[in-house]
Amino acid sequence: HSQSQSQSENLKTAVLELEELRRWEETKEAQYNSCTGHRRFPPACLNLLKNISGNFFCVDCEASNPQWATVTYGGLICLQCSGKHRQLGVQMSVVRSITMDSWTHKNVLAMLEGGNKQLGDFFSRHGLSSSETHSHSPTINTSAHTHSSHDDSNVNAIVDRYQTNAALFYKKNLSDHVDRVEKSGEYKGRDHSRKKNQKNKNSSNRRGRKQLRAEGGKEVEVKV
């Protein structure tokens, strides 16, 4: 109970941080301020980020306590994997340091609505998990996996998955989702946005069923 209360209080603080960041950006734009300023990842938002499932390990190599992010995919990565992501170019993966770089309101939302388990599960469903990617690499070391050192060829093989159509699909859907969350106003947390998405999906399914029509004595669904 106390942990749940603490998480609730942290979310309230994070909401205030996000609104302050949003207002700062709007004011900056309204005044045509050419100075971008430097806004670090808000502390309460950082606590939320760390508590997202899977975020204690790098999404690519599983090294512990990752301090870098692929904002494009809402995932946390280690220092070495961040270098590999930078090599892909910003059109594929925008990389930020959690502790050193400046963050926008939308970028913070992308991290809070993403998550390593969510991204990892998506890759697994498409045969692109870290273990599966390792197994297709001819230079894989079959001994127990350690994080003290990286094999560049293995890391490259894993990062290559971000250039697949499946990754592009995830990237677009996360971006669209973050746009909707941002436009909906004050942030209400991951659970709220997911319940809202499910409600919209159910509503869409009901509309689709209402568009069933009789044809030749059989019901044929009219695709939306």
Side-chain angles (χ1 to χ4, degrees):
H1 178 71
S2 59
Q3 184 178 3
S4 176
Q5 185 177 14
S6 175
Q7 291 174 347
S8 177
E9 289 300 320
N10 191 70
L11 175 58
K12 290 179 182 178
T13 305
V15 169
L16 294 176
E17 291 174 343
L18 284 165
E19 285 305 297
E20 193 276 332
L21 181 55
R22 187 208 295 265
R23 285 194 298 270
W24 180 82
E25 290 176 1
E26 290 173 349
T27 301
K28 175 173 69 72
E29 291 173 3
Q31 295 176 348
Y32 299 98
N33 188 349
S34 60
C35 178
T36 59
H38 188 88
R39 308 289 291 192
R40 289 194 173 185
F41 205 102
C45 291
L46 183 58
N47 287 335
L48 292 180
L49 180 67
K50 289 180 177 179
N51 285 319
I52 295 174
S53 184
N55 278 9
F56 187 70
F57 300 98
C58 172
V59 72
D60 289 336
C61 73
E62 299 181 5
S64 62
N65 195 28
Q67 296 296 306
W68 292 78
T70 167
V71 181
T72 308
Y73 292 92
L76 290 178
I77 51 181
C78 68
L79 176 61
Q80 178 145 352
C81 288
S82 75
K84 300 300 180 182
H85 276 258
R86 287 190 188 279
Q87 290 176 18
L88 293 174
V90 294
Q91 74 279 3
M92 286 288 180
S93 181
V94 174
V95 177
R96 291 280 184 276
S97 165
I98 293 296
T99 58
M100 295 182 289
D101 286 331
S102 187
W103 288 79
T104 66
H105 179 267
K106 181 171 287 188
N107 285 351
V108 174
L109 283 181
M111 299 306 299
L112 297 181
E113 289 296 310
N116 285 13
K117 185 178 186 303
Q118 176 177 289
L119 179 56
D121 287 349
F122 174 85
F123 280 137
S124 292
R125 290 195 298 271
H126 290 81
L128 296 168
S129 69
S130 298
S131 58
E132 288 167 318
T133 310
H134 270 301
S135 68
H136 289 95
S137 173
T139 55
I140 181 67
N141 180 358
T142 56
S143 61
H145 181 60
T146 62
H147 310 302
S148 58
S149 63
H150 291 65
D151 184 309
D152 273 354
S153 59
N154 292 340
V155 174
N156 286 337
I158 294 170
V159 173
D160 281 346
R161 64 188 177 174
Y162 292 95
Q163 301 183 74
T164 63
N165 288 332
L168 293 177
F169 175 84
Y170 185 95
K171 169 184 169 182
K172 183 181 186 307
N173 276 270
L174 179 61
S175 177
D176 291 346
H177 172 73
V178 170
D179 283 342
R180 289 192 295 272
V181 171
E182 186 174 46
K183 290 175 182 176
S184 69
E186 189 176 277
Y187 187 59
K188 295 179 177 63
R190 286 170 65 88
D191 291 343
H192 180 271
S193 63
R194 277 147 184 75
K195 287 177 182 176
K196 188 174 181 179
N197 275 354
Q198 188 60 47
K199 184 178 179 181
N200 290 340
K201 187 180 295 183
N202 292 340
S203 177
S204 177
N205 289 339
R206 285 195 296 271
R207 287 196 300 271
R209 286 193 295 270
K210 286 180 180 178
Q211 292 182 45
L212 288 174
R213 63 181 179 177
E215 188 173 286
K218 296 181 180 180
E219 286 191 332
V220 179
E221 184 176 359
V222 181
K223 292 183 180 180
V224 180

